[in-house]
Amino acid sequence: MSKSYAKTTNEIEARAGFFSQPKAVWAIVFASIISFMGLGLVDPILPAIAEQLHASKSQVSLLFTSYNAVTGVAMLITGVISSRIGVKKTLLTGISLIVIFSVLGGLSGSIGQIVGFRGGWGLGNALFIATALSAIVGLSTAGTAKAIILYEAALGVGISVGPLLGGELGSISWRGPFFGVGVLMALAFILIIFMLPSIPKPKVRSTLADPFKALKYPALLTLGITALLYNFGFFTLMAYSPYVMNLDEHGLGYVFFGWGMLLAITSVFIAPRLQKRMTTVSSISMMLAFFTIDLIIMGIGTVNHSPKTVIICVIVAGIFLGINNTLITTAVMQAAPVERSIASAAYSFLRFLGGALSPWLAGKLSEWYYPETPFYFGALMVFLGIVTMVVRRRHLTHIDEAGVQH
C-alpha cells in the first residue's frame, strides 16, 4: 500500500508543471522577489552615498556587512521562532521589520545610522528568507527540486529588478530605494495575510542548538564552508565592482539588471539540465571555477583601466552564480537528515558570514593596496571553495546519487 501511494505521489509530482503551484506559494514567491530586491537596490547608490555622506568605500560597504552579519547570526534563531509562533507569523514579522528599518534607513542622516538600520533590516530578512524557503518547499505541489528552482528564480528576479528600480529611484535621491522597499514589502505583507493559510506548527520545537548539531553532518558543513568562501567573490562583485565601472545610478542599475536576469534564467532553465548531465558536485565545482576566472579578468580589467571589461564580467557572472545557487541549495536540502528549515539555517549562517566579511574587506583591500586587489582576493577565496568541495567530496556522494536518481 505504501509503495503504491509513493508511486502515485511521484507520478503526480512528475506531471506537475513548474507553474502549477497553489496561490499561497505565489504569494511567498512575490514577497521573496521584493525581499531579494532589497539586496540589489542599494548597489546603484553606493557611490552616491559615499559622495553625499562623505564616506569611504569601506564605510559604505558596511551597509552589506551589517545586513549580512545580522542575517547570518539571526538565521540561528529562525527555527526557534517559527516553530513557536508558526510560519505565517514569522514571515509577517520578518516583513514588518524590513518595512520599518528600510524606511528608517531612508530617513537617516549619516552613514552610521544607515549601517545600523541595515542591521535591523537583516534581522527581518533572516526571519523571512529562511522561513520562505521551507514554506515554498512544504506548500509546493511540484516536488522539492522544482520548488527550490522557483525560490532561486525569485532570488534572481529580485536581484535583477532591484538594481534597475534602485537606479531609477536613486537618480532622484539615494533615499528613494529605501522608501521603495518599504512600500513594496508593505504590499507583500498584505498578500501574505490574505493568501497564505495558517500552516500547522511542527510537533517538535526547534532549539538554538539544532543548527549547530546539523553542522556535525560532514556534507552540510562542507557545503556551508564552500558557500562561505564563494560568497567572498559574490559580495566583492556586489559591493565593490560599482566603484570601478565608472557609471551613474542608471548605468549601474542596467548592469546589475543584466547580471540578475542571467542569474534568474540560468537558475531555472540551465541548472536542472546541467545536473542531469553531470553530478551535482562536479557541476558546482565547474561553475565556481568559471567564476574564479571571471573575477581574475575583472582584476585585469581594473589594472588596465577598462570599465567595459569589468561590466561584461559582472553581467556574465550571473550565469555561473545562477546555476551554482540552484545546485548548492538543492544539495543543502539533501545534505543532512534534519528538517529543511534547520538545514537552511545552519547553511545560511555560514554563507552570510562570508557575505558579512567580504564587502568591508574588499573596500579595505582597495585602500591598503590597489584597486584590483579585491577581485584577486575574491578569486582566491572562491578557488579555496572548489578545493573544499574536491577534498571533502567523499562526504557528498549521497547527494550525487540523489541527483542521478532525480
Side-chain angles (χ1 to χ4, degrees), residues 222-239:
T222 300
L223 294 171
I225 293 173
T226 300
L228 184 154
L229 292 168
Y230 93 74
N231 261 337
F232 273 85
F234 184 98
F235 280 98
T236 295
L237 181 150
M238 287 285 288

Side-chain angles (χ1 to χ4, degrees), residues 58-120:
S58 58
Q59 286 177 318
V60 175
S61 70
L62 291 175
L63 268 71
F64 284 97
T65 295
S66 63
Y67 178 86
N68 287 326
V70 174
T71 297
V73 174
M75 282 290 177
L76 300 174
I77 64 171
T78 54
V80 175
I81 294 174
S82 64
S83 66
R84 284 163 175 76
I85 69 174
V87 169
K88 186 172 184 177
K89 288 183 179 179
T90 303
L91 289 172
L92 292 174
T93 300
I95 292 174
S96 299
L97 290 172
I98 293 173
V99 171
I100 292 169
F101 286 106
S102 61
V103 171
L104 288 174
L107 296 172
S108 298
S110 69
I111 191 67
Q113 289 179 346
I114 301 176
V115 170
F117 291 136
R118 279 282 285 181

Side-chain angles (χ1 to χ4, degrees), residues 280-398:
T280 301
V281 175
S282 296
S283 300
I284 293 172
S285 300
M286 183 173 71
M287 289 305 106
L288 293 182
F290 284 138
F291 186 39
T292 299
I293 296 170
D294 196 58
L295 286 167
I296 292 172
I297 297 174
M298 284 189 214
I300 295 172
T302 304
V303 172
N304 295 329
H305 304 288
S306 174
K308 289 184 179 179
T309 300
V310 178
I311 290 169
I312 293 171
C313 286
V314 167
I315 295 173
V316 170
I319 298 173
F320 315 133
L321 293 170
I323 295 172
N324 181 71
N325 285 349
T326 294
L327 293 177
I328 202 165
T329 303
T330 304
V332 167
M333 296 294 104
Q334 302 166 339
V338 298
E339 292 288 333
R340 293 189 185 100
S341 59
I342 294 174
S344 177
Y347 162 76
S348 296
F349 167 68
L350 292 177
R351 176 166 63 107
F352 279 103
L353 284 183
L357 292 171
S358 55
W360 175 83
L361 187 57
K364 280 298 182 183
L365 287 172
S366 69
E367 293 168 10
W368 292 336
Y369 301 104
Y370 304 100
E372 66 273 14
T373 305
F375 294 117
Y376 294 145
F377 181 77
L380 173 62
M381 298 301 279
V382 176
F383 177 74
L384 291 178
I386 302 172
V387 173
T388 301
M389 292 283 288
V390 173
V391 171
R392 296 175 61 87
R393 182 164 188 156
R394 67 185 185 280
H395 299 303
L396 305 172
T397 304
H398 66 288

